Amino acid sequence: MTPTLPWEREGIDCTDDELLATGRAVIRDEAGELLRTADGPCEGLVRAARAIFVCRGRVVVVGMGKSGHVGCKFAATLASLGTPAFFLHAAEASHGDLGMVRREDVGVFLSNSGSTAEVLALLPWFRRLGALLIAITGVSDSPLAQHSDIVIDSRVTREADPLELAPTSSTTLQMVLGDALAGMVTRLRGLRREDFAAFHPGGTLGRRLLTTVADVMSSFDQLPKVRRDVSVKDALFEITGKKYGSTCVVDDSGALVGFFTDGDLRRLIEKHGVEALNRQIEEFMTRTPQTITADRLAVEAVRIMEQRKISALVVVEDRIPIGIVHFHKLLEAGLT
């Protein structure tokens, strides 16, 4: 007997197509609200972005309930883009957390109704300090809007849930308006990808944008290196001793003139036999090895290795080899 699935035991019976139609309607309704706002007057957004850009303190994002959850994300987005910001829970603020707010700060208050009691209760304190107030609200004549310096209209024509009651379209619009503000401030700051990575040193992007070849290459004393007139057999001792599976070949001045790998060794023996071990390394080395400088990004080394189908690059400074960067080391660093 086929067991009854949980969603088949109770509730309104509807087909999968009908259920999917409901989900698609929610998505379309919310998308419609976003497009309507994007095409509408956005003076408040511009003024708010400029106010946040010139702020000498922190951006204090205030909210309650669902708007509070949106506020948490907005504050985190600002901080990740170099704008000092934190979320202040409206209910907790009146129990001591207001001590975190300073005159130099900018307050961003989120409330769809603009009449949330816990949010309104904080207005006098911000006013007393002289901090600038920005309201993101769906009611333009609400108490919050009336007592704010800048108002961003987050009005929606309807909530997207089937009952038209749960915060859906309104919170989505609040979220997008926060993202828009963050993007505008980013434009004003002239933020670069490298700057963003500096705020995320523990993340993948941070590793990819901040790690240089110098961070992952071998130290100079680990560098396998032989002169061009040594035998293949002597070079083999250097290869196995330094454990990089390869060696640099240098001239009398120490400049790089070639590179020899364990793969080259296998091909050499297959073609010429073990007698070739007594011949000079110069005969069989790669005369134009791929090189890179220590100040280049490590991800560039990855790209070169993948394109050339090689596993190591010689790191040079004025043609002098100073290290080797190996694909396995890049793999360990999470760069591949």
Side-chain angles (χ1 to χ4, degrees), residues 95-107:
H95 294 279
D97 287 356
L98 277 174
M100 295 187 289
V101 183
R102 295 290 181 267
R103 181 184 302 274
E104 302 81 18
D105 297 340
V106 168

Side-chain angles (χ1 to χ4, degrees), residues 52-214:
I52 291 173
F53 172 62
V54 300
C55 174
R56 293 179 299 168
R58 291 89 39 89
V59 177
V60 184
V61 185
V62 179
M64 189 77 185
K66 304 298 187 298
S67 294
H69 294 308
V70 173
C72 284
K73 192 271 182 187
F74 177 42
T77 299
L78 286 175
S80 74
L81 291 168
T83 297
F86 67 91
F87 175 70
L88 182 63
H89 192 284
E92 297 290 343
S94 58
H95 294 279
D97 287 356
L98 277 174
M100 295 187 289
V101 183
R102 295 290 181 267
R103 181 184 302 274
E104 302 81 18
D105 297 340
V106 168
V108 179
F109 284 55
L110 288 88
S111 171
N112 186 44
S113 68
S115 301
T116 307
E118 295 87 348
V119 172
L120 296 179
L122 306 185
L123 291 177
W125 177 258
F126 278 76
R127 279 295 178 215
R128 179 181 175 184
L129 287 177
L132 184 82
L133 292 182
I134 299 171
I136 300 179
T137 179
V139 183
S140 59
D141 59 351
S142 64
L144 177 59
Q146 292 173 2
H147 292 90
S148 295
D149 300 298
I150 300 172
V151 178
I152 298 174
D153 184 7
S154 63
R155 173 180 50 87
V156 297
T157 56
R158 66 184 297 274
E159 297 290 4
D161 78 288
L163 301 178
E164 298 186 38
L165 295 174
T168 45
S169 295
S170 57
T171 48
T172 297
L173 181 55
Q174 286 178 343
M175 183 84 71
V176 172
L177 288 171
D179 288 343
L181 273 177
M184 294 163 77
V185 175
T186 299
R187 179 68 179 273
L188 289 170
R189 292 195 187 285
L191 202 73
R192 303 167 302 167
R193 287 173 60 86
E194 292 80 2
D195 300 319
F196 182 82
F199 307 134
H200 302 75
T204 300
L205 181 59
R207 288 195 298 273
R208 291 181 65 86
L209 291 183
L210 296 179
T211 303
T212 63
V213 170

Side-chain angles (χ1 to χ4, degrees), residues 197-268:
F199 307 134
H200 302 75
T204 300
L205 181 59
R207 288 195 298 273
R208 291 181 65 86
L209 291 183
L210 296 179
T211 303
T212 63
V213 170
D215 296 322
V216 293
M217 73 181 193
S218 66
S219 61
F220 185 75
D221 60 348
Q222 294 176 315
L223 175 65
K225 182 175 58 175
V226 298
R227 292 167 58 92
R228 65 196 310 170
D229 57 355
V230 305
S231 68
V232 175
K233 181 170 62 176
D234 290 337
L236 181 57
F237 287 118
E238 183 74 358
I239 292 173
T240 55
K242 297 296 177 62
K243 300 179 180 179
Y244 272 89
S246 58
T247 184
C248 300
V249 183
V250 298
D251 61 16
D252 293 340
S253 67
L256 182 71
V257 294
F259 197 60
F260 189 80
T261 69
D262 51 9
D264 294 328
L265 177 65
R266 288 193 298 271
R267 288 186 288 272
L268 170 64

